[in-house]
Amino acid sequence: MTRKALALISGGLDSMLAARVVQEQGVQVEGVNFFTGFCVEGHTHAIRKQSQTRPKRNNALWVAEQLGIKLHIVDVVDEYKDVVLNPKHGYGANLNPCLDCKIFMVGKAVEKVRDWGFDFILTGEVVGQRPMSQRKQTMPVISKESGAEGLLLRPLSALNLPATKPELEGWVDRERLYGFSGRSRKPQIALARRLGIQEWAQPAGGCCFLTDANYTVKLQDLWASRQQRQYELDDILLLKVGRHIRPRPHFKLIVAREEGEGNYLNGYRRMYTYLDSVSHPGPMTLIDGQVDEDDLELAARIVARYSQGRNAGSVEVEVGRPGAPPLRLRVTPFGSEEIPREWML
Amino acid sequence: MTRLAVDARRLLCPLPVIRLQDQVAQLRHGDQVIIIATDPGVKLDIPAWCRVHGHSASLLDETDGEIRFLVTVEAAPNPPKPT
Ligand code: SF4
């Protein structure tokens, strides 16, 4: 009887190798990839104008194609909020709740294994590879707290860990699994070569924006300004776009840095107050927060500063608010030293 | 044969693919989906997703930044053997 495994496919080399190693043993593998909203790849690329002529592939789909397996992409944006907001095991260097994140994703895979009729789960985790989630002590924590227990196989590090059900039942041959550990990538690269894998994605930094210090600052600022730790998908996508400037605690500006970002922000005109310089070319800008007349004038002066009218005596800015007709403000642009550094997020 | 439309405008990848996938899951062999999206990433992602699942995708048109694909649901094949 052919056994079926569900592989967590991130798009990187390790999960690709783990899936291939198990495929080589005659197991039928399919992949699953979870979309949390914080993924690094794709979004900023899609938004930025200069990137649009050469759209970038989705690495998880590309890996699936290389392996000849199906890939199921699952939207977990809502459920993932609790992982980000209340991580039982805490955060890493930034707002990355890596251990809770792994537990969550393996837990979701456990649900899919039951619903879709798979026999076990596999991941590309390697003992000692990551400081928070891939330590020898945390591997059993992931298996236990996710509910996967013995159904979770890590083919690249299996020899460093107790035998799992697929090994004990003979669905896979433990002798043909690996005992990789530590941060070195050499064993993985050697294995890739042996398996005839010539190309793989090398994502810069972590797998998500939560490991990014600048992004973390903006997310914490969002929570502080709203006086509650909450977010919607649009909030976290907008944190990836534009220059964020907070002149007052109750509102911030999101100023497009180039045309692609301007087009993207344009899509939010019906949901947010926006400012658009009309007398001179300038960046599309959204306001996040509730603003009064004085705030609008201040915001318009900032927008004027980033427009091509920055050296003009005055700049006319259109202000649109959801559900109200647009109005126009004529303002003096801020001078180069008049926007304090601490306003910039 | 059913033909459905999926509006994935303004959604960033991989959300258009997720919307397509969720729709296809409700359909049968021979049914079709027309998906309209604005993220240029769909030009790679939709055909790639269709290839791994054994469905067919053809680009219908691309006007004013809106990209339309016709996806035909094929019989779900077994995953090909690894080479
Ligand atoms: S880097 Fe992000 S996606 Fe990766 S394990 Fe950590 S929290 Fe999860």
Side-chain angles (χ1 to χ4, degrees), chain B residues 24-83:
Chain B
V24 167
Q26 314 295 323
L27 298 175
R28 295 176 186 191
H29 180 215
D31 290 344
Q32 294 185 319
V33 178
I34 290 183
I35 179 164
I36 177 165
T38 44
D39 182 344
V42 298
K43 285 192 272 186
L44 294 178
D45 288 1
I46 287 179
W49 182 84
C50 287
R51 283 194 298 274
V52 303
H53 287 270
H55 308 307
S56 70
S58 54
L59 179 64
L60 291 178
D61 49 48
E62 186 177 356
T63 25
D64 299 330
E66 295 191 347
I67 302 152
R68 286 197 317 145
F69 271 97
L70 173 69
V71 172
T72 305
V73 180
E74 308 288 352
N78 288 323
K81 287 253 178 302
T83 48

Side-chain angles (χ1 to χ4, degrees), chain A residues 80 96-99 101-102 105 130 133 206-211:
Chain A
Y80 193 71
N96 48 311
C98 291
L99 183 50
C101 175
K102 284 273 184 240
M105 289 191 183
R130 296 260 175 97
S133 57
C207 26
C208 80
F209 264 102
L210 294 168
T211 59

Side-chain angles (χ1 to χ4, degrees), chain A residues 155-172:
Chain A
L156 303 186
S157 252
L159 302 186
N160 304 317
L161 297 164
T164 58
K165 187 169 179 185
E167 296 157 275
L168 295 171
E169 296 283 335
W171 302 341
V172 296

